[in-house]
Amino acid sequence: MALNARRTRQLQEAVAPLLLQGEQVQMTTLAGVGSVSVRRQAVTAAVVGVLSAGTVMATVTPRPMYIVLTDQRVLFFDGNRGGKPGKLMLNLPRPYVSAGGSKKAFLGLQYVTRLSVDGQEKGLKVTFPVQHRGDGPRFVSALPVTR
């Protein structure tokens, strides 16, 4: 499921002043970017459990970000937990970005890929949630495959 019309319009408004001459938006979506360690998940669950006397459970998830794929770049905007797009967080030249290790995850409800950027050792994990799972394969197919 793609972004709703209002969110797409807000994202287009946020990206418009940043576009280079002749650059065109090819795709917009929302995904969780980054990863959360098992240790951090356990510590968060323990602290919340102790503070709430076991009545509340907490989970930690990757940071939601809006992704704008143009014919020249991949732009990441703060996702504000699915709200209005925030500030530009990451700007990657498209020729230096590749995708690999793509798969369905969490009972087939999510789509996960790992972006590689030339010159960087560590990849960037991108998780497309249930609502935007269909955008995952389209996003990956628009990028070269990581060797």
Side-chain angles (χ1 to χ4, degrees), residues 58-138:
T59 60
V60 183
T61 59
R63 182 180 192 145
M65 289 191 181
Y66 289 102
I67 301 172
V68 178
L69 182 67
T70 73
D71 54 352
Q72 298 178 29
R73 300 180 288 171
V74 183
L75 305 168
F76 294 84
F77 289 86
D78 185 15
N80 291 324
R81 298 280 171 216
K84 185 175 179 179
K87 67 180 183 173
L88 178 66
M89 303 298 286
L90 189 59
N91 177 354
L92 301 173
R94 192 163 165 179
Y96 300 110
V97 179
S98 58
S102 303
K103 62 183 178 184
K104 288 184 179 178
F106 192 66
L107 305 172
L109 299 175
Q110 297 177 337
Y111 190 83
V112 178
T113 191
R114 191 163 289 278
L115 298 181
S116 298
V117 180
D118 289 352
Q120 299 294 319
E121 286 183 28
K122 207 171 181 186
L124 187 64
K125 184 177 177 183
V126 179
T127 306
F128 294 89
V130 174
Q131 304 90 331
H132 304 286
R133 177 184 60 218
D135 291 341
R138 285 187 337 145

Side-chain angles (χ1 to χ4, degrees), residues 36-51 58 60:
V36 180
S37 69
V38 173
R39 180 174 182 229
R40 183 169 175 204
Q41 289 176 357
V43 168
T44 301
V47 168
V48 170
V50 167
L51 293 176
V60 183

